[in-house]
């Protein structure tokens, strides 16, 4: 089978229980959704695209978008195919789409498929659903019945949600490094495999020296990290990513009163594809503020824990690789801990100690530098060297750490 991958406010508020309107719209969940129509079951309500590709039929002069769709409420995925061109009848003209899964990965793998979507006078069509299960791989496929007669599929993936784009300013799937230097200049260093492309670094702005917190995450949900920060007055701002620049003219104030927060971070905690905001307030409480379409849902903020006030560094990124950001931090003793995301809470009982001796690091942050879907850890040590520590399951691959550069000791923020 030929595989083609096409790259195509307010401040602190009273605590409230989390709410989800999407979950109540679904008529099935998990195995009960298998073989069902996603629209008929309401699973399309909260669905998002995990991966896609375009199949072009040169004979019919048409293009078809093939999407790997996933519903968090239904815990199921499927394939959707739609006509990209403006065709009066929207006939598929011999194109078929189906959904695939590999069962028994690592053992005796077996590929299972849904029945293909048949051609007909429709502009888009969905396959039936497959329930998501641990240890399985999934992808969306289509057959080009026109020009070449080949099958095309998205990449196999275990992900059940959009990829967390913490620090991925380029949007290529691997985190870059951004920082504010001693002069207040904000810089973007592209990821060049296991190194930084310093020769092609880009200055994104000036005057960031007095900002108390600065971070990069995909707040817009477009696949590339934006920049968020808390200014000297305590205002929390969102600067959209505009390619290799920041769209300062369209910056958005997300809230006020953030100046006394000990830690503020942005990452996709909900797993819906758009970064949320998390922070440790003056009392040491850790809160999660859901992203509400270019604003923060302060009414439904969630307290994730207490006692974080003396932690030297706290960060959020998808360490587990399940599509939703987890929380990592360096405690008062210098130990680095990983707290798994457990929906709208942290799984403190299953926290994992990733290492010791991190108390002397000037900056520590987590982001998917390798591009494998699991956040790694990067840090600037006491002498100003920037290191990358690969994620090795529920541990860090210390033996294979990589020095990305020197001279980072006087940078105000590195993320």
């Amino acid at each position: 089978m030929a595989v083609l991958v096409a790259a195509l406010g307010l401040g602190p508020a009273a605590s409230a229980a989390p709410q989800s309107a999407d979950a109540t719209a679904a008529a099935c969940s998990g195995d009960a959704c298998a073989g069902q129509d996603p629209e008929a079951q309401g699973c399309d309500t909260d669905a998002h695209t995990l991966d896609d590709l375009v199949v072009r039929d040169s004979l019919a002069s048409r293009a078809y978008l093939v999407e790997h769709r996933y519903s968090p409420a239904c815990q199921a995925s499927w394939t959707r195919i739609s006509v990209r061109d403006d065709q009066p009848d929207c006939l598929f003209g011999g194109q078929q789409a189906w959904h695939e899964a590999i069962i028994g990965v690592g053992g005796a793998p077996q590929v299972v498929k849904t029945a293909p979507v048949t051609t007909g006078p429709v502009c888009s069509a969905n396959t039936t659903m497959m329930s998501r299960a641990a240890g399985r791989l999934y992808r969306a496929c289509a057959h080009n019945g026109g020009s070449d007669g080949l099958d095309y599929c998205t990449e196999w993936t275990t992900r059940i949600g959009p990829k967390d784009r913490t620090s991925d300013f380029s949007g290529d799937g691997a985190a870059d490094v951004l920082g504010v230097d001693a002069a207040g200049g904000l810089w973007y260093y592209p990821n060049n495999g296991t190194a930084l492309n310093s020769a092609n670094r880009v200055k994104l702005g000036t005057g960031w020296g007095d900002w108390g917190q600065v971070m990069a995450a995909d707040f817009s949900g477009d696949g590339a990290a934006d920049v968020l920060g808390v200014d000297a007055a305590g205002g929390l701002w969102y600067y959209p990513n505009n390619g290799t620049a920041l769209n300062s003219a369209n910056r958005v104030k997300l809230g006020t009163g953030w100046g006394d927060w000990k830690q503020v971070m942005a990452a996709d905690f909900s797993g819906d594809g758009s970064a949320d905001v998390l922070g440790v307030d003056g009392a040491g409480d850790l809160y999660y503020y859901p992203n509400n379409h270019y604003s923060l849902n302060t009414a439904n903020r969630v307290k994730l824990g207490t006692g974080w006030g003396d932690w030297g560094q706290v960060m959020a990124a998808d360490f587990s690789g399940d599509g939703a950001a987890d929380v990592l931090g360096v405690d008062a003793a210098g130990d680095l801990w990983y707290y798994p995301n457990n929906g709208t809470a942290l799984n403190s009982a299953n926290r994992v100690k990733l290492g010791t001796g991190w108390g002397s690091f000037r900056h520590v942050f987590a982001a998917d530098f390798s591009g494998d879907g699991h956040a790694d850890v990067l840090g600037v040590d006491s002498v100003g060297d920037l290191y990358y520590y690969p994620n090795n399951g529920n541990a860090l691959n210390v033996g294979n750490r990589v020095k990305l550069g020197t001279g980072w000791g006087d940078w105000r923020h590195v993320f």
Side-chain angles (χ1 to χ4, degrees):
M1 176 178 287
V3 177
L4 173 66
V5 178
L8 301 175
L10 297 170
S15 181
Q19 300 175 358
S20 175
D22 293 334
T24 59
C28 66
S29 179
D31 290 342
C33 291
Q36 301 294 320
D37 179 89
E39 292 186 3
Q41 297 298 314
C43 298
D44 60 326
T45 304
D46 71 334
H48 42 250
T49 299
L50 300 183
D51 199 359
D52 60 32
L53 59 83
V54 174
V55 176
R56 301 190 181 277
D57 181 357
S58 59
L59 294 180
S61 299
R62 290 178 180 169
Y64 305 88
L65 177 65
V66 181
E67 299 172 88
H68 182 172
R69 300 283 287 169
Y70 169 72
S71 164
C74 293
Q75 293 290 297
S77 64
W78 63 93
T79 295
R80 179 170 70 184
I81 184 170
S82 54
V83 178
R84 290 293 302 270
D85 302 308
D86 185 15
Q87 300 292 333
D89 55 9
C90 288
L91 287 172
F92 282 166
Q95 314 300 331
Q96 289 188 335
W98 63 93
H99 207 56
E100 290 189 356
I102 294 181
I103 298 175
V105 177
Q110 176 186 5
V111 176
V112 295
K113 305 178 182 180
T114 64
V117 175
T118 58
T119 59
V122 290
C123 294
S124 66
N126 296 306
T127 67
T128 56
M129 294 184 285
M130 286 184 169
S131 60
R132 306 292 286 204
R136 293 185 182 180
L137 297 169
Y138 300 84
R139 67 180 180 181
C141 296
H143 175 75
N144 188 352
S147 55
D148 60 20
L150 297 177
D151 295 336
Y152 294 97
C153 298
T154 61
E155 291 183 321
W156 290 109
T157 179
T158 59
R159 282 192 296 115
I160 59 173
K163 182 174 181 178
D164 178 39
R165 298 284 184 173
T166 302
S167 296
D168 182 13
F169 194 78
S170 64
D172 65 357
D176 309 291
V177 172
L178 294 87
V180 177
D181 65 17
L186 174 60
W187 293 90
Y188 149 55
Y189 286 76
N191 183 331
N192 191 23
T194 55
L196 292 181
N197 191 339
S198 300
N200 291 326
R201 71 173 188 165
V202 178
K203 180 177 270 191
L204 300 178
T206 59
W208 290 83
D210 61 351
W211 287 59
Q213 318 256 3
V214 188
M215 64 219 74
D218 184 15
F219 194 77
S220 65
D222 65 357
D226 311 290
V227 172
L228 294 87
V230 178
D231 65 16
L236 175 60
W237 292 90
Y238 149 57
Y239 286 76
N241 182 331
N242 191 22
T244 54
L246 292 181
N247 191 339
S248 300
N250 290 326
R251 71 175 188 165
V252 178
K253 181 178 272 191
L254 300 178
T256 59
W258 290 86
D260 61 350
W261 285 61
K262 297 176 180 290
Q263 313 269 354
V264 181
M265 65 216 82
D268 185 13
F269 192 78
S270 64
D272 65 356
S274 299
D276 311 290
V277 172
L278 296 87
V280 177
D281 67 13
D285 296 335
L286 174 61
Y287 282 95
Y288 148 55
Y289 287 78
N291 183 330
N292 190 27
H293 305 294
Y294 304 106
S295 64
L296 293 182
N297 190 338
T298 55
N300 288 330
R301 73 171 186 167
V302 179
K303 182 184 282 191
L304 299 178
T306 60
W308 291 84
D310 61 351
W311 287 58
Q313 319 246 11
V314 184
M315 65 219 75
D318 184 15
F319 195 79
S320 65
D322 65 357
D326 310 291
V327 171
L328 295 87
V330 178
D331 65 16
D335 296 336
L336 175 61
W337 293 90
Y338 149 55
Y339 286 76
N341 182 332
N342 191 21
T344 54
L346 292 182
N347 191 339
S348 301
N350 290 326
R351 70 174 188 166
V352 178
K353 182 184 283 191
L354 299 178
T356 60
W358 289 85
S360 62
F361 274 64
R362 298 173 183 267
H363 305 282
V364 183
F365 61 104
D368 184 15
F369 194 78
S370 64
D372 65 355
H374 297 257
D376 311 291
V377 173
L378 294 88
V380 177
D381 66 14
S382 59
V383 300
D385 295 338
L386 174 61
Y387 281 96
Y388 148 56
Y389 291 77
N391 183 330
N392 189 23
N394 278 345
L396 293 182
N397 192 336
V398 179
N400 289 326
R401 73 172 186 168
V402 178
K403 182 185 284 190
L404 299 178
T406 61
W408 292 84
D410 62 350
W411 284 60
R412 298 175 183 271
H413 305 284
V414 183
F415 48 98

